[in-house]
């Protein structure tokens, strides 16, 4: 495991005050913070960093009276967006598979259908410029479900600053679609919904922090149940990959014709992959941190890897390092081990330039927010080893 001198948990579930949650007063049931994790990251005008934290608020007793329950936002058929309430749905336990603590599968029918044991909303948390101390938790600026296509929650923010605008992609969850939604801000704190920008099961959208030849670029990660085989002996493995898309305005996206980052046949550690941090421009090209998942039990082992992409054509991959940059660190989570419900997961979601190093933000164990300082020399050293 690669060790880093500065590596700590900055936010844990006990730091969240649920009396200020968007769900407060709506449910006749007790909730708790299942996780405060997967933070988007950006730098504010005052120099501080802003984490947009996913708060997964779960029922303390989801299974009772022979049913498993899910939290859902509804507008009750009203015409005003954002004005709604939270309700509980009850599913007969004999029709549900509850092996994964984060969700349950509903048996029957020809499709894989699930519901969640929690509902997620996004909480802006301001931290010091180095990311190591809390400054303020902005409950009044939380981003919560406001449309029917978000009725099961808003998840996993990624923030990019392009010019003078902050762009935040999120995953909106509902029976209608599992889509990517875009929010915009002029200051990184006050966010306005813009649009659905990617349709069903196309998520982990990361907008490059800068235009290329006047176009916005983004990494995307479509999912599906079927993938076609590469030829025998190919260096690639069939499965989820990180694709590319371009846009003239950050709202209307066109898939790029060339593939992006694909899983390699030579390692099972990246058998499944998805985007991590918005690509940022370095002297060597666009630096992209992404997650690879090694199959294990229900969830798998999540690690963070990195690639360098050509500054003019991000479809050209200059280097991919198959040694993990970050892995789950049990030493960090030991003080909150009693709250752990999954292990072997680090999910990196944010990056900020800090001079001679990057401040990297991750979700640790779907439970807490982790901040790691990674020297830029790590990437320059690897590039030099390749003769570049």
């Amino acid at each position: 495991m690669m060790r880093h001198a500065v590596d700590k948990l900055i936010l844990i579930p006990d730091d969240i005050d649920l009396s200020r949650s968007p769900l407060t007063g709506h449910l006749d049931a007790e909730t708790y913070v299942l996780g405060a994790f997967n933070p988007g990251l950006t730098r504010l005008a005052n120099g501080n960093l802003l984490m947009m934290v996913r708060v997964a608020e779960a029922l303390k007793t989801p299974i009772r009276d022979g049913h498993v329950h899910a939290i859902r936002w509804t507008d009750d058929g009203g015409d005003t967006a954002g004005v709604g309430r939270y309700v509980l749905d009850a599913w007969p336990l004999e029709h549900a598979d509850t092996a994964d603590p984060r969700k349950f599968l509903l048996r029957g029918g020809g499709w894989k259908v699930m519901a969640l044991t929690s509902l997620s909303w996004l909480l802006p948390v301001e931290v010091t410029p180095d990311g190591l101390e809390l400054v303020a938790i902005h409950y009044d600026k939380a981003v919560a479900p406001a449309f029917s296509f978000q009725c099961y929650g808003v998840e996993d923010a990624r923030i990019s600053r392009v010019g003078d605008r902050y762009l935040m992609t999120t995953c909106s969850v509902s029976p209608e679609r599992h889509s990517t939604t875009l929010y915009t801000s002029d200051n990184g704190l006050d966010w306005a919904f813009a649009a659905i920008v990617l349709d069903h099961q196309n998520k982990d959208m990361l907008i490059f922090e800068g235009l290329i030849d006047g176009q916005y670029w983004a990494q995307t990660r479509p999912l599906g149940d079927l993938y076609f085989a590469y030829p025998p002996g190919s260096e690639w493995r069939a499965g989820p990959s990180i694709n590319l898309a371009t846009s003239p305005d950050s709202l209307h996206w066109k898939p790029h014709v060339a593939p992006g980052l694909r899983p390699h046949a030579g390692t099972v550690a990246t058998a499944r992959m998805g985007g991590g941090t918005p690509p940022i421009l370095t002297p060597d090209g666009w630096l992209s941190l992404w997650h690879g998942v090694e199959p294990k039990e229900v969830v798998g082992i999540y690690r963070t890897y990195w690639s360098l992409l050509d500054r003019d054509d991000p479809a050209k991959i200059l280097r991919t390092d198959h040694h993990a940059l970050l892995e789950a660190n049990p030493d960090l989570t030991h003080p909150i081990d009693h709250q752990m419900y999954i292990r072997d997961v680090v999910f990196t979601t944010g990056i900020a330039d800090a001079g001679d190093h990057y401040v990297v933000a991750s979700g640790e164990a779907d439970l807490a927010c982790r901040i790691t300082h990674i020297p830029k020399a790590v990437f320059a050293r690897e590039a030099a080893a390749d003769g570049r």
Side-chain angles (χ1 to χ4, degrees):
M1 178 190 299
M2 181 180 289
R3 294 287 186 176
H4 302 279
V6 179
D7 195 13
K8 65 176 288 188
L9 298 187
I10 181 64
L11 191 79
I12 62 174
D14 290 349
D15 293 323
I16 307 302
D17 180 2
L18 283 188
S19 71
R20 304 184 69 181
S21 159
L23 280 66
T24 298
H26 287 259
L27 302 175
D28 186 21
E30 192 173 1
T31 63
Y32 72 104
V33 179
L34 178 68
F37 60 111
N38 294 2
L41 189 71
T42 193
R43 194 170 295 281
L44 301 175
N46 64 6
N48 287 339
L49 292 172
L50 189 283
M51 300 192 305
M52 185 62 84
V53 177
R54 174 181 171 185
V55 178
E57 188 167 346
L59 295 168
K60 275 201 170 180
T61 311
I63 299 176
R64 53 186 170 85
D65 302 326
H67 290 75
V68 59
H69 296 78
I71 306 171
R72 176 172 54 87
W73 179 90
T74 176
D75 63 0
D76 288 329
D79 296 327
T80 305
V83 178
R85 62 191 181 98
Y86 297 89
V87 297
L88 295 182
D89 294 328
W91 301 90
L93 196 54
E94 64 267 22
H95 297 158
D97 178 350
T98 59
D100 189 328
R102 304 170 302 172
K103 61 192 178 186
F104 56 91
L105 297 176
L106 296 172
R107 302 187 182 97
W111 306 101
K112 184 178 179 181
V113 178
M114 70 176 65
L116 302 175
T117 58
S118 63
L119 185 142
S120 291
W121 46 279
L122 303 178
L123 179 61
V125 177
E126 191 172 346
V127 296
T128 50
D130 58 8
L132 300 180
E133 301 293 337
L134 294 178
V135 173
I137 300 179
H138 299 281
Y139 290 96
D140 59 322
K141 300 181 186 299
V143 174
F147 304 92
S148 60
F149 54 81
Q150 300 174 323
C151 69
Y152 287 143
V154 186
E155 305 175 350
D156 297 348
R158 269 49 169 246
I159 303 175
S160 305
R161 187 170 182 180
V162 184
D164 294 330
R165 285 204 309 158
Y166 295 88
L167 305 175
M168 180 172 71
T169 62
T170 67
C171 180
S172 291
V173 186
S174 78
E176 295 176 11
R177 61 183 83 192
H178 193 190
S179 62
T180 294
T181 39
L182 179 70
Y183 291 78
T184 63
S185 174
D186 293 328
N187 59 15
L189 275 172
D190 298 287
W191 295 92
F193 174 79
I196 295 176
V197 288
L198 294 180
D199 212 334
H200 186 57
Q201 288 198 314
N202 201 347
K203 51 185 292 192
D204 287 337
M205 184 186 192
L206 315 171
I207 297 175
F208 285 58
E209 288 210 320
L211 303 181
I212 303 175
D213 196 22
Q215 293 281 304
Y216 292 87
W217 281 70
Q219 293 176 321
T220 69
R221 205 283 303 276
L223 288 176
D225 291 325
L226 173 66
Y227 298 91
F228 287 96
Y230 283 101
S234 171
E235 64 177 306
W236 308 115
R237 179 192 301 272
S241 60
I242 301 172
N243 294 355
L244 292 164
T246 59
S247 170
D249 56 8
S250 78
L251 294 174
H252 304 88
W253 292 89
K254 176 183 177 182
H256 191 56
V257 294
L261 295 166
R262 293 176 280 176
H264 281 257
T267 172
V268 296
T270 57
R272 174 173 168 168
M273 63 193 306
T277 63
I280 59 174
L281 192 59
T282 76
D284 296 311
W286 294 97
L287 177 62
S288 170
L289 274 56
W290 48 273
H291 65 265
V293 186
E294 179 180 349
K296 179 188 176 184
E297 299 172 348
V298 176
V299 177
I301 303 173
Y302 280 71
R303 303 180 179 94
T304 299
Y305 300 85
W306 64 272
S307 297
L308 276 174
L309 315 177
D310 186 84
R311 67 167 51 237
D312 299 316
D313 181 3
K316 294 180 181 178
I317 302 167
L318 305 179
R319 175 176 170 81
T320 290
D321 194 334
H322 294 291
H323 298 95
L325 182 68
L326 286 175
E327 299 183 59
N329 188 340
D331 292 339
L332 296 181
T333 52
H334 178 72
I336 54 172
D337 191 74
H338 61 287
Q339 295 175 307
M340 298 276 285
Y341 58 97
I342 61 172
R343 299 181 187 273
D344 299 322
V345 172
V346 60
F347 194 85
T348 298
T349 43
I351 189 169
D353 195 319
D356 63 353
H357 65 276
Y358 295 111
V359 178
V360 174
S362 307
E364 186 77 3
D366 279 10
L367 184 66
C369 292
R370 173 179 174 181
I371 292 291
T372 312
H373 288 186
I374 301 181
K376 292 181 178 179
V378 168
F379 309 105
R381 186 165 56 245
E382 296 293 347
D386 269 7
R388 292 184 281 105

